[in-house]
Amino acid sequence: MQQARPSRSNRERTEATRGALVAAARALFVEKGYAGTSTPEIAAAAGITRGALYHHFADKRDLFRAVVEQEARAVAREIEAATPPGLPARDALAAGSAAYLDAMTARGRTRLLLVEGPAVLGGAEMDGLDEANAARTLRAGLEAAMPGTALPVPALSVLLSAAFDRAALAIDAGADPEEYRRAMIAILERLLDGAPPPQAAGRSPRIVTRSP
């Protein structure tokens, strides 16, 4: 008789319950917003008791964080799928950029990650989630496309992430996705074309001052 099977079944039931809660919560958060959604509604939509919800999640905020984490990971997976190993660095950066904007068009995702997320979880927590997912892929792409550059890649990554998020918000509001894709690719191309060559790494920019 195998003893491991009941334990695995319990784990599977736990994962299935958590998955049902996250799916139900996502749908309600997208439809009604975080403030307009109650835990009894989520439990009813998931087909479980409210007590079971609190067994898996500390509170509504904890469940919301699980929803946001799932969305952030999904975006990162789509970027990584569009940038397989062996793709030239510059091509990978362009493909990853387009993949990000495409991934953010999933229904409700922009609202969850860029509107509700910062409001509910705060900027620092959302920055941490972004750093573990989309921001990480962008920084890696910049480092690969500009090896040894004197430019501050971490700072560039932060600024470009903000531009990508603004593009995603505009597209979500009804702007032409193709226009924003082209604009973001143009920004990246100008950046790469104007980046200092590797041999310039380590040099400090020359500051010219006027004599009094």
Side-chain angles (χ1 to χ4, degrees):
M1 179 180 294
Q2 295 182 352
Q3 298 298 321
R5 183 60 186 174
S7 176
R8 195 179 76 169
S9 296
N10 288 339
R11 184 172 64 251
E12 289 172 349
R13 284 195 293 270
T14 295
E15 291 174 353
T17 300
R18 285 180 63 88
L21 283 166
V22 170
R26 186 196 191 283
L28 286 167
F29 289 145
V30 169
E31 178 187 355
K32 305 177 67 175
Y34 177 83
T37 300
S38 68
T39 52
E41 286 179 292
I42 296 171
I48 65 169
T49 66
R50 190 180 180 192
L53 184 155
Y54 287 114
H55 175 73
H56 293 281
F57 298 97
D59 50 25
K60 185 172 73 168
R61 185 182 185 279
D62 188 33
L63 177 51
F64 179 78
R65 190 181 198 283
V67 171
V68 171
E69 284 180 329
Q70 176 178 271
E71 296 301 305
R73 288 194 298 266
V75 173
R77 284 196 301 270
E78 293 196 34
I79 294 171
E80 289 164 351
T83 56
L87 193 66
R90 189 160 178 153
D91 294 343
L93 192 57
S97 300
Y100 171 80
L101 294 178
D102 288 343
M104 291 298 286
T105 62
R107 182 176 181 272
R109 184 169 285 164
T110 296
R111 177 178 182 176
L112 289 169
L113 291 178
L114 302 183
V115 180
E116 295 271 26
V120 175
L121 301 179
E125 194 163 354
M126 287 303 299
D127 286 346
L129 283 174
D130 190 36
E131 178 60 29
N133 293 283
R136 168 184 55 80
T137 64
L138 176 58
R139 189 177 63 254
L142 289 171
E143 289 171 347
M146 299 188 296
T149 182
L151 294 175
V153 172
L156 284 173
S157 179
V158 170
L159 294 173
L160 285 171
S161 288
F164 276 111
D165 289 349
R166 186 64 187 85
L169 286 165
I171 293 169
D172 189 61
D176 183 353
E178 183 57 29
E179 286 189 1
Y180 277 87
R181 277 194 288 267
R182 289 170 53 200
M184 290 307 306
I185 295 300
I187 290 172
L188 289 170
E189 288 179 345
R190 290 295 297 272
L191 172 64
L192 296 179
D193 289 342
Q199 60 266 28
R203 294 182 183 174
S204 299
R206 185 180 178 185
I207 300 175
V208 178
T209 59
R210 291 177 180 269
S211 300

